Amino acid sequence: MKTFHNPHHAGHAGQQEMFRGRMVPCHEVPARLDFVLTELQRRPLGDIAPPSVDDTALDAAIARVHSARYLDFLASAWSDWVAMDPANAQRDALPSVWPIGNPHAFRTDVLPRNFAARLGLFSFDSGSPLTAGTWAAARGGAACALAAAHAVAQGERSAFALTRPPGHHAGPDFLGGYCFLNNAAIAAQALRDAGHTKVAVLDVDYHHGNGTQTIFYERADVLTVSVHGDPATEYPFFLGHADERGAGAGAGFNLNLPLPRGTGVAAWRAALDTALQAVSDFGASALVVPMGLDTFEGDPISGFTLKSADYAGVGQALASLGLPTVFTFEGGYAVDEVGTNAVNLLEGFQRPA
Ligand code: SP5
Ligand code: ZN
């Protein structure tokens, strides 16, 4: 398995996120990736390299899943933020005002000139700080996803996009959940564009992959499946229910498998089997796995109870599909264990029992 790691990731380092009326230290920190990289060097699965992707091809691949006005916003967001007030250079940008989704309440078609308003227009939470290095880091991550998709399209059994910030909460024109560009969606679309007619995305992060679901919701060529904490009680709350099955041409091509907080490995693996069956029934010729390790029992912001040793079995189960597979690194906030858990899963995939 080839790993493409993002050399720009550490430039995205938020200071604080909003939680219950207070600012608390960010959970999504650069050390997460460093622990995975160190563990991959200790237990090698294949080449580890930064992605080498042509800039024009990268911009085109990103624009396949994100809107032009969102990308324009992101590209100049930091300089616009600092232009509001030079003192902002020392502060992360976080939104504080949003156009709530009632069509007769607020306009979302008119782009505000005020940067704080634009930030709210393109965000759905106040937990995803935008910093000086965010755009370069997110773009570097998209390059990892694209390189991984190309490697798989050219015949590799699997490839790993080792990057942060994560991606699966980012939608066509919004950021949130620590995510800015949807790396898994970029990989899935790149696999489509490379000739795979049916691509499946199987999201195993603790949190529902709302951004990916939204991007592909009306499409029949990309099946999206997610196993996650029930949005009735778990983030991102406003999407991820079992009755969301896709719309229009995409009707029947989204599957959500929400599980209650407290779910352990047996029930989680049963849901994964349902997800695997759906991918198999769909007839996908390639697979993308947004790989969150926040299903771990020690995760500080999540509620499932998988143990480190369980992840090898998860990897083996994913390998049983026999599909060319791209993994993208998503959540997992038990920083000391995230490297072990990630490599346990990938090693299980690569070396089935
Ligand atoms: C990619 C991913 O896993 N994103 C998850 C985003 C979750 N954001 C909201 C988490 C709020 C939890 N804050 C708990 C603070 C306890 N001290
Ligand atoms: Zn997560």
Side-chain angles (χ1 to χ4, degrees):
M1 176 177 318
K2 278 193 176 165
T3 293
F4 297 95
H5 76 90
N6 178 5
H8 304 295
H9 83 91
H12 174 70
Q15 300 166 39
Q16 295 181 306
E17 60 185 86
M18 172 80 86
F19 179 66
R20 295 185 184 164
R22 289 198 288 185
M23 299 308 293
V24 302
C26 284
H27 294 282
E28 203 291 288
V29 294
R32 300 175 58 247
L33 189 149
D34 299 333
F35 273 98
V36 178
L37 197 53
T38 300
E39 188 65 13
L40 269 180
Q41 285 158 348
R42 204 174 71 80
R43 291 192 276 159
L45 298 175
D47 287 355
I48 304 175
S52 93
V53 174
D54 173 77
D55 262 353
T56 309
L58 177 59
D59 287 332
I62 296 170
R64 294 285 283 148
V65 306
H66 293 288
S67 76
R69 77 171 193 164
Y70 176 60
L71 295 172
D72 287 348
F73 158 77
L74 276 185
S76 67
W78 183 255
S79 61
D80 293 351
W81 168 246
V82 176
M84 284 189 99
D85 179 349
N88 281 353
Q90 307 308 318
R91 303 176 188 134
D92 299 344
L94 282 178
S96 54
V97 61
W98 292 270
I100 200 78
N102 177 323
H104 302 301
F106 292 112
R107 299 275 297 267
T108 56
D109 58 322
V110 185
L111 209 55
R113 206 171 308 152
N114 180 289
F115 174 77
R118 281 210 308 286
L119 181 58
L121 177 62
F122 293 117
S123 305
F124 70 88
D125 72 11
S126 58
S128 312
L130 195 154
T131 76
T134 297
W135 176 237
R139 214 163 167 284
C144 293
L146 186 59
H150 284 164
V152 161
Q154 285 157 21
E156 295 284 332
R157 163 80 167 101
S158 63
F160 178 31
L162 175 53
T163 186
R164 51 170 295 285
H168 75 148
H169 295 302
D173 54 3
F174 55 83
L175 66 91
Y178 316 147
C179 302
F180 298 84
L181 295 177
N182 194 314
N183 302 313
I186 289 165
Q189 184 62 50
L191 287 164
R192 282 286 296 106
D193 294 339
H196 284 279
T197 52
K198 289 185 177 190
V199 176
V201 180
L202 201 179
D203 191 317
V204 297
D205 188 278
Y206 178 76
H207 304 97
H208 173 244
N210 64 290
T212 322
Q213 172 171 316
T214 298
I215 287 168
F216 296 114
Y217 206 60
E218 296 192 14
R219 288 173 51 173
D221 57 331
V222 178
L223 174 74
T224 46
V225 183
S226 182
V227 181
H228 52 265
D230 187 341
T233 60
E234 306 307 299
Y235 186 94
F237 307 118
F238 308 113
L239 208 67
H241 297 280
D243 63 352
E244 299 155 13
R245 299 305 311 268
F253 297 99
N254 183 76
L255 178 63
N256 285 330
L257 299 165
L259 297 167
R261 194 176 180 85
T263 291
V265 67
W268 192 90
R269 283 293 304 267
L272 183 66
D273 285 345
T274 303
L276 294 169
Q277 188 62 52
V279 172
S280 170
D281 293 346
F282 174 62
S285 64
L287 177 68
V288 177
V289 178
M291 185 183 70
L293 292 310
D294 40 11
T295 52
F296 178 54
E297 61 177 348
D299 197 89
I301 68 168
S302 307
F304 292 163
T305 63
L306 274 69
K307 301 183 187 328
S308 291
D310 294 330
Y311 289 100
V314 176
Q316 288 168 9
L318 292 166
S320 74
L321 286 172
L323 294 173
T325 301
V326 170
F327 292 90
T328 59
F329 185 48
E330 304 289 345
Y333 307 100
V335 177
D336 291 343
E337 288 97 347
V338 74
T340 302
N341 294 345
V343 179
N344 283 359
L345 193 157
L346 297 173
E347 197 175 66
F349 180 92
Q350 183 138 318
R351 307 208 183 91

